[in-house]
Amino acid sequence: MNNRIFIEKYMVLFIPWIFAMLFKDSYILSYFIAWFGSFFIFWVTLKGWIKPLPDDRNIEEQLMRPIFITQVIFAGYMACTSIFYLFDVLGYINFHKISDFYLVDQERLRLTAQCQRYYCLAHASFVTGILIFMRYPVEKKYGYNRADLTKVILNIALIATLLSSLLMRVSGLSQFSHQFSLLSFIAGTLALAFAIPDRKIWRILICLIIYGFNIYQALISGFKEPIILNVLILGIFLYPNYKRTVLIFFVPLLLLFFILLPTYNRIFRQQAWSGNLSTNEATQLALKSVVNQNNANDNWEFFTYRLSEIDMFTSYVKSTPAHIDFYGTQLLRQSAIAIMPRIFWPSKPITENMVMERVYDAGIISRGTNVSAKPAVIVDAYLSGGMPSIFILLFFYGAACQLIAMKAEKIFGGYTLGTALIFTGLFQLFWRGLSLEFLINAVFWNYITMYLIFKVLLFTNVIKRL
């Protein structure tokens, strides 16, 4: 009886997808059932209705666990941002109808609804994988001196920054440089969040320098995500101690970034990536353009075609399996190849080239185009075998995310070092969902890196066996 109730509760997560499938011939209705379905999944999971939320910490003190931040960012970005694209398909710009005589492309609308149903299915499968393996509190085998926590995190931030810089100079180790760069960013932000309540001026200053450096690197990256994540993560870390300040300051700031970043990124990329201006000159020009912007259509294009990846997804669905067969296990085999270090296999196929082959085959972009359009994990799941593959791969995606997070808490003495620092610093890739080859390779080597960090901290007595 208990097992039956257990299964029925998880089946609730798939109800929106089932209803969306029943009405699949009514494209707009089917789309909105699937789209609202993701909000329904958020509600029943974050309320603890499907499975009780962890009670070892207050909710605001465990937001970096997979059921919270990973689900919200991954599923929110994947399944909820497509609403702008739908209105574009229906003939709207900035939610204003272009013309009363606008003829909607029914095939484009059908594909949009179909992809949204896939998003809803993926969200349900992903969170099912998280919830089934979510077991808190985690039995801790190691601990640390909590009085030294801020100092430890700050030291990790400084060492990770140094290692990132050194590894970047070594051929073939740039992947590990990126690992430590992300870890440094998370450690610096977390150290700042701990230093502010402690009111130790010198630590606050050092942390502010690290945080400011990360903001600058985000600004000159040409990508929107690093800038938003810098602000978001600091807000999450500060929230337990400064709830009102975070809500009053950080929430409007994030909304402001969403409005202004499209113009900034467009101008910066045009000038810096083309070589017309230096990075600093392009940054200054982009900032001036943000202050003086008056073209709302630029933002609409960003929200429609770049915030969401559904337009690209519809192209893959249109070509596979109609013109290109499903890939089966080929992408997993290529992922196994990607894991092998090039130092042991000098002639190893270039991962970027392997991924881009399916982009070219689907006609997403033409060969020779200097644009990267790598598919997200849900697209690769679909290309591997359609709807069943989405269900299976996204379930394992959620399960892997949760199991790694709990392992980090187990060996690093709890939530703060385990989940907030190490898991978030090394496995932030779960938030976005990369192509399978890049995803599996990164998860594998980041897991190895996690254990190496654990051994170093154990050897230096930062963490001790309980």
Side-chain angles (χ1 to χ4, degrees), residues 327-337 384 393 436-437 440:
Y327 287 80
T329 60
Q330 179 182 335
L331 304 187
L332 292 176
R333 295 197 302 271
Q334 290 179 178
S335 300
I337 292 173
S384 296
L393 284 176
L436 273 179
E437 292 91 338
I440 293 175

Side-chain angles (χ1 to χ4, degrees), residues 83 133 157 246 253 257 266 275 278 286 301 310 317 390 423 449:
I83 189 67
F133 292 96
V246 168
L253 187 60
F257 278 149
R266 178 175 57 83
S278 68
E301 183 178 351
I310 193 170
V317 172
I390 291 175
F423 176 74
T449 301

Side-chain angles (χ1 to χ4, degrees), residues 285-332:
L285 180 61
L287 290 173
K288 288 180 181 178
S289 299
V290 167
V291 175
N292 300 320
Q293 70 168 312
N294 53 18
N295 188 355
N297 289 343
D298 291 339
N299 285 350
W300 181 254
E301 183 178 351
F302 168 81
F303 289 128
T304 302
Y305 293 100
R306 292 176 58 196
L307 179 63
S308 171
E309 296 184 347
I310 193 170
D311 182 60
M312 192 188 304
F313 194 7
T314 60
S315 298
Y316 284 107
V317 172
K318 189 175 181 178
S319 62
T320 302
H323 305 293
I324 303 168
D325 290 336
F326 287 118
Y327 287 80
T329 60
Q330 179 182 335
L331 304 187
L332 292 176

Side-chain angles (χ1 to χ4, degrees), residues 12 31 75 137 154 169 174 178 213 225 241 255 265 270 296 313 331 335 390 405 416:
V12 169
Y31 172 91
L154 180 57
R169 304 172 189 274
S174 59
H178 183 63
F213 175 76
E225 292 91 347
N241 293 317
L255 293 175
N265 278 347
Q270 287 175 355
F313 194 7
L331 304 187
S335 300
I390 291 175
T416 303

Side-chain angles (χ1 to χ4, degrees), residues 4 19 41 43 63 95 118 128 155 167 212 218 311 319 323 352 408 415 423 429 451:
R4 181 180 174 183
F19 273 98
I41 294 171
W43 182 69
L63 293 176
F95 298 108
Y118 289 147
T128 298
N155 288 339
L167 291 171
D311 182 60
S319 62
H323 305 293
E352 177 89 8
Y415 171 82
F423 176 74
L429 53 94
Y451 255 94

Side-chain angles (χ1 to χ4, degrees), residues 415-428:
Y415 171 82
T416 303
L417 283 185
T419 293
L421 177 59
I422 299 298
F423 176 74
T424 304
L426 295 179
F427 298 95
Q428 197 181 114

Side-chain angles (χ1 to χ4, degrees), residues 84-122:
F84 302 99
Y85 183 81
L86 174 72
F87 275 93
D88 187 77
V89 171
L90 296 176
Y92 288 79
I93 293 179
N94 293 316
F95 298 108
H96 295 293
K97 196 167 182 62
I98 297 172
S99 169
D100 292 334
F101 303 102
Y102 183 86
L103 295 177
V104 176
D105 185 335
Q106 293 298 313
E107 176 62 12
R108 191 177 171 210
L109 181 59
R110 181 189 68 81
L111 288 170
T112 302
Q114 182 178 353
C115 289
Q116 192 61 40
R117 292 194 297 272
Y118 289 147
Y119 284 150
C120 186
L121 172 63

Side-chain angles (χ1 to χ4, degrees), residues 87-374:
F87 275 93
D88 187 77
V89 171
L90 296 176
Y92 288 79
I93 293 179
N94 293 316
F95 298 108
H96 295 293
K97 196 167 182 62
I98 297 172
S99 169
D100 292 334
F101 303 102
Y102 183 86
L103 295 177
V104 176
D105 185 335
Q106 293 298 313
E107 176 62 12
R108 191 177 171 210
L109 181 59
R110 181 189 68 81
L111 288 170
T112 302
Q114 182 178 353
C115 289
Q116 192 61 40
R117 292 194 297 272
Y118 289 147
Y119 284 150
C120 186
L121 172 63
H123 187 181
S125 301
F126 169 69
V127 80
T128 298
I130 289 177
L131 291 174
I132 285 179
F133 292 96
M134 185 177 74
R135 297 183 182 91
Y136 293 103
V138 174
E139 180 187 359
K140 299 175 219 172
K141 290 190 174 182
Y142 302 88
Y144 54 86
N145 185 354
R146 298 189 180 274
D148 296 333
L149 183 59
T150 306
K151 180 181 177 182
V152 168
I153 296 173
L154 180 57
N155 288 339
I156 290 175
L158 295 171
I159 294 171
T161 301
L162 178 62
L163 286 174
S164 175
S165 178
L166 292 174
L167 291 171
M168 180 59 73
R169 304 172 189 274
V170 181
S171 177
L173 295 180
S174 59
Q175 174 181 330
F176 296 97
S177 172
H178 183 63
Q179 287 181 10
F180 285 106
S181 176
L182 287 176
L183 182 61
S184 169
F185 155 57
I186 295 297
T189 307
L190 184 58
L192 178 59
F194 275 94
I196 291 174
D198 290 345
R199 298 183 179 180
K200 293 184 177 180
I201 303 300
W202 68 272
R203 283 186 183 175
I204 295 176
L205 290 175
I206 294 175
C207 293
L208 282 173
I209 291 171
I210 296 174
Y211 187 75
F213 175 76
N214 287 326
I215 287 286
Y216 174 74
Q217 291 297 316
L219 282 171
I220 64 174
S221 70
F223 296 99
K224 60 186 179 295
E225 292 91 347
I227 304 172
I228 294 173
L229 290 178
N230 267 280
V231 177
L232 175 64
I233 293 174
L234 179 60
I236 291 173
F237 286 156
L238 288 175
Y239 184 71
N241 293 317
Y242 304 98
K243 295 183 179 65
R244 180 174 297 181
T245 302
V246 168
L247 293 176
I248 293 175
F249 179 74
F250 281 88
V251 173
L253 187 60
L254 285 171
L255 293 175
L256 187 65
F257 278 149
F258 270 106
I259 296 171
L260 300 181
L261 278 177
T263 299
Y264 174 85
N265 278 347
R266 178 175 57 83
I267 300 298
F268 180 87
R269 290 179 178 185
Q270 287 175 355
Q271 301 301 323
W273 292 7
S274 63
N276 294 334
L277 296 175
S278 68
T279 299
N280 288 335
E281 291 172 334
T283 301
Q284 292 174 13
L285 180 61
L287 290 173
K288 288 180 181 178
S289 299
V290 167
V291 175
N292 300 320
Q293 70 168 312
N294 53 18
N295 188 355
N297 289 343
D298 291 339
N299 285 350
W300 181 254
E301 183 178 351
F302 168 81
F303 289 128
T304 302
Y305 293 100
R306 292 176 58 196
L307 179 63
S308 171
E309 296 184 347
I310 193 170
D311 182 60
M312 192 188 304
F313 194 7
T314 60
S315 298
Y316 284 107
V317 172
K318 189 175 181 178
S319 62
T320 302
H323 305 293
I324 303 168
D325 290 336
F326 287 118
Y327 287 80
T329 60
Q330 179 182 335
L331 304 187
L332 292 176
R333 295 197 302 271
Q334 290 179 178
S335 300
I337 292 173
I339 290 176
M340 180 66 68
R342 189 169 297 277
I343 192 172
F344 300 121
W345 185 3
S347 61
K348 184 184 82 167
I350 299 173
T351 304
E352 177 89 8
N353 293 344
M354 289 193 295
V355 173
M356 291 303 293
E357 275 302 311
R358 54 186 179 273
V359 178
Y360 300 138
D361 290 344
I364 307 299
I365 59 174
S366 302
R367 294 181 186 273
T369 305
N370 190 22
V371 175
S372 180
K374 293 183 286 293

